[in-house]
Every structure is written in structure tokens, then in C-alpha cells.
Amino acid sequence: MTASAVARHLTQNGDPIAGRGKRSVRETLLRQIVEKIVSGELPEGSTIPNEAELTEQFGVSRTSLREAMQYMSALGMVRSRTRAGTTVLPRENWNYLDPLLLDVMLKIGADETFYTSLIDARQLLEPAAAAQAAANADARALSQIARAFEDMVEANSRDTEAWSRADLEFHTAIINASGNWVYRQFATAIRAALLASFRLTNRASQSHQQAIAKHQDVLEAIRMRRPDAARYAMEQLIGVARSEITDALRRQRKMPDEPAR
């Protein structure tokens, strides 16, 4: 297939990508198919069009298409069988920690289950991380936590985006200070999801002063080397976030025409 044929088919934000190289073609193809699945255009249990149809639809080579399908198979999104074709698997099979899938979920609009699952995971891991940070953090780690907190205070309600990013750095710094590599991998893998969660809760927050106070409780417990107090303070902080996510999602349901952000 000629480059001009590809340019007519596969685009990103309306721009042809044929001239960007094989990797860009493959990655854009992969994203577009993943978006069709996440959005429900290709629903769970459905059979994806065959190879000939997809290469024609997207204007890509069979090699690029097969590589994209292999990636989605590794994500647990599809399963290919001889004669039966390629089937979209149920969502419980998907690897939500994959950066591409996370990004598409957030772009299209994550549902309530997505956010509540994230909060559930944070409730399990972050209080333990805060306790370990109180026991293990060195001076540099403590400084990073304090700096992130100061950035939150500086941003306050004047700049929701700056507030959310500082919030993310605060929690990330605590996880890093714990010294637990599993917690660190968790934070690294879902930074985009955490940031989206903070944006949602910070827009819903009724009192930034209360939020500042809750974060300060965590910081002071870690500074004072009080693991049990740090654990409790983080549990309280995430409990507030859970309530705010519930409120934000309830408001979103009342405004179905407002685009997801």
C-alpha cells in the first residue's frame, strides 16, 4: 500500500501520520483500536473485523496490524482463535496499569468503578507507605514531601491544576520515602490516573483549608517519626478523597452533556 493511501486513512488529530515512520503508524493504529474498544464501539464479546477489512479501513500494513493485535492481546483486551477470529474480552481481563490503556480510559471518560477501584487501592497502600515513610524517610525525602506540601499551600484554590499537581507530588514523595519498591512501581504506573483523580476531587472539594489541614497532619506525623499517627492521618485523608469523588461523580451524572475532563 502506498504512503498516500495510508495518509488518506490513518490520522492523528486529523493530520496524516504516514511520514512519521513505522513506529508512529503502529502506535496510532493501536490507540485508535483501543479507543474503539474502551468507548464500546467494539463492545465486549464482539468479533473484531478481519485482517483484510482492518488493513483497508485504516490503510496500514498487515505487519503493523498484527503488532497492534499482539499488544492488545498482551493487555488482555482481545483473544484471537483460528477460524473464530479476534474477540473483545471482558473488562475484568484488561491490564488497566498499562500507560496507553490508562490514558485512553481517562480521555474517553472513566466510569465510577474506575475511580472507586483506584481509591480502594490507595486506601490499602498509602497508609502503609506513610507509616513506613515515618519510620524510614531520610532528610532529603522529608524535604521533598515538605516542598510538595508548600506547593499545595501556595496554589490553594487559586489554581486547581497547580493544586492537583502538587497534590500528586505530595503523595508520590511519601510513597518514595517509604523505601518500598512495590509502592514506588504502583505510583509510577498510575501517575496519570492519580492526577485525574486529584483533579476530580480538588474540583469537588468544599474546603481547601480542610484539605490543607489533612495533608499537614500527614506531613507532621511523618516529620515526628510517628508511624501509627502517619498511617491514621493518611487513612483520614483518603477517606475525605473518597467522599469527594462520590460527590463529583454524582454531579457528573446530573450533567450528562458535560464532556469528561
Side-chain angles (χ1 to χ4, degrees):
M1 180 171 292
T2 65
S4 60
V6 175
R8 286 197 303 272
H9 289 72
L10 194 60
T11 62
Q12 187 174 45
N13 299 324
D15 298 323
I17 64 166
R20 302 186 197 172
K22 180 180 177 181
R23 181 175 178 180
S24 289
V25 171
R26 182 178 65 247
E27 291 178 351
T28 304
L29 168 66
L30 175 62
R31 174 175 288 274
Q32 291 190 9
I33 298 177
V34 169
E35 287 181 358
K36 287 179 180 293
I37 293 174
V38 172
S39 69
E41 184 177 338
L42 290 172
E44 298 173 35
S46 67
T47 301
I48 291 178
N50 62 39
E51 193 174 81
E53 291 177 280
L54 289 175
T55 53
E56 176 62 25
Q57 177 184 347
F58 290 103
V60 296
S61 68
R62 289 178 181 269
T63 299
S64 293
L65 179 62
R66 288 170 182 171
E67 289 173 349
M69 289 300 174
Q70 287 171 358
Y71 191 97
M72 288 192 297
S73 179
L75 290 181
M77 299 187 75
V78 300
R79 179 173 56 201
S80 297
R81 289 182 174 176
T82 305
R83 296 197 181 98
T86 301
T87 304
V88 178
L89 294 175
R91 288 179 177 245
E92 56 263 29
N93 293 56
W94 300 359
N95 176 14
Y96 286 103
L97 295 184
D98 179 81
L100 171 62
L101 180 52
L102 264 179
D103 189 54
V104 172
M105 288 287 298
L106 295 170
K107 173 186 175 183
I108 291 177
D111 59 14
E112 185 170 351
T113 301
F114 179 89
Y115 285 108
T116 55
S117 295
L118 180 61
I119 280 286
D120 288 345
R122 291 182 60 200
Q123 190 77 63
L124 285 172
L125 294 179
E126 290 196 58
Q132 290 185 19
N136 302 327
D138 58 21
R140 180 179 179 184
L142 288 173
S143 176
Q144 290 174 335
I145 299 170
R147 188 180 307 115
F149 175 75
E150 290 165 4
D151 288 343
M152 291 183 68
V153 173
E154 178 65 24
N156 206 336
S157 59
R158 294 187 296 276
D159 187 339
T160 301
E161 182 63 19
W163 167 277
S164 297
R165 290 191 177 279
D167 201 351
L168 172 63
E169 294 309 318
F170 179 83
H171 288 267
T172 301
I174 290 173
I175 289 172
N176 288 338
S178 73
N180 187 308
W181 68 267
V182 177
Y183 296 165
R184 287 174 177 168
Q185 290 297 312
F186 169 79
T188 299
I190 65 167
R191 275 184 69 88
L194 284 172
L195 181 56
S197 174
F198 292 142
R199 284 169 175 157
L200 184 67
T201 56
N202 290 334
R203 286 200 303 271
S205 179
Q206 298 300 308
S207 171
H208 281 80
Q209 289 306 314
Q210 180 191 36
I212 287 290
K214 292 291 185 183
H215 284 80
Q216 188 167 21
D217 288 344
V218 175
L219 173 60
E220 292 305 320
I222 293 174
R223 273 178 171 165
M224 298 301 293
R225 304 293 186 182
R226 299 172 59 199
D228 288 345
R231 182 190 299 273
Y232 177 78
M234 184 62 81
E235 287 173 347
Q236 296 302 301
L237 177 56
I238 295 178
V240 171
R242 185 186 294 275
S243 297
E244 290 177 343
I245 278 182
T246 300
D247 290 343
L249 292 173
R250 184 181 299 117
R251 282 198 291 272
Q252 281 189 358
R253 286 195 296 271
K254 292 179 180 179
M255 298 181 292
D257 294 330
E258 181 177 329
R261 297 175 61 186

